[in-house]
Amino acid sequence: QLVESGGGLVQAGGSLTLSCAATGDRFSLYTVGWYHQVPGKERELVAAITRAGSINYADSVKGRFTISRDNAKNLVYLQMDSLKFEDTGVYYCHAQWGSGTFWGQGTQVTVSS
């Protein structure tokens, strides 16, 4: 099970930190990603981190967002800086390992211009 938190309303240029909390004892094996979705569009990958710590970002967030994980606490974070209006949407946490794939319920981020 994945539970996101940390969303909210922020002005453009501001920052938010999202957290994804996982249950289970194999979380460190999972590749975890953060996805962004706006109404009428598919979810898009924003950032992902593998169990080895390899990271990739969407071009739109490079230099502004930072993904990290704390396996001891079963947590993955998304630090979002220099937020833009277009970052508004629901952010979902996704974990995948082998055939196992899990989604959180999402957390709303609203950036006011």
Side-chain angles (χ1 to χ4, degrees):
Q1 182 182 4
L2 301 175
V3 178
E4 302 96 334
S5 61
L9 174 64
V10 63
Q11 288 188 336
S15 299
L16 282 175
T17 301
L18 305 183
S19 298
C20 173
T23 57
D25 58 0
R26 296 184 177 182
F27 182 67
S28 63
L29 300 178
Y30 284 75
T31 291
V32 180
W34 284 97
Y35 287 74
H36 173 234
Q37 187 172 30
V38 296
K41 294 190 176 181
E42 294 186 354
R43 293 178 190 181
E44 296 182 339
L45 180 66
V46 172
I49 184 167
T50 70
R51 63 181 181 178
S54 296
I55 292 172
N56 67 283
Y57 295 101
D59 288 343
S60 60
V61 306
K62 284 181 180 177
R64 300 190 298 121
F65 290 10
T66 304
I67 189 172
S68 61
R69 68 190 301 165
D70 185 338
N71 289 330
K73 297 181 178 179
N74 277 13
L75 287 168
V76 172
Y77 303 101
L78 185 68
Q79 174 68 40
M80 304 188 295
D81 298 316
S82 301
L83 282 161
K84 303 177 180 180
F85 176 75
E86 51 265 39
D87 295 322
T88 295
V90 180
Y91 285 77
Y92 294 90
C93 180
H94 174 259
Q96 186 272 331
W97 176 54
S99 60
T101 183
F102 304 92
W103 289 96
Q105 83 289 349
T107 185
Q108 175 71 41
V109 171
T110 302
V111 184
S112 62
S113 58

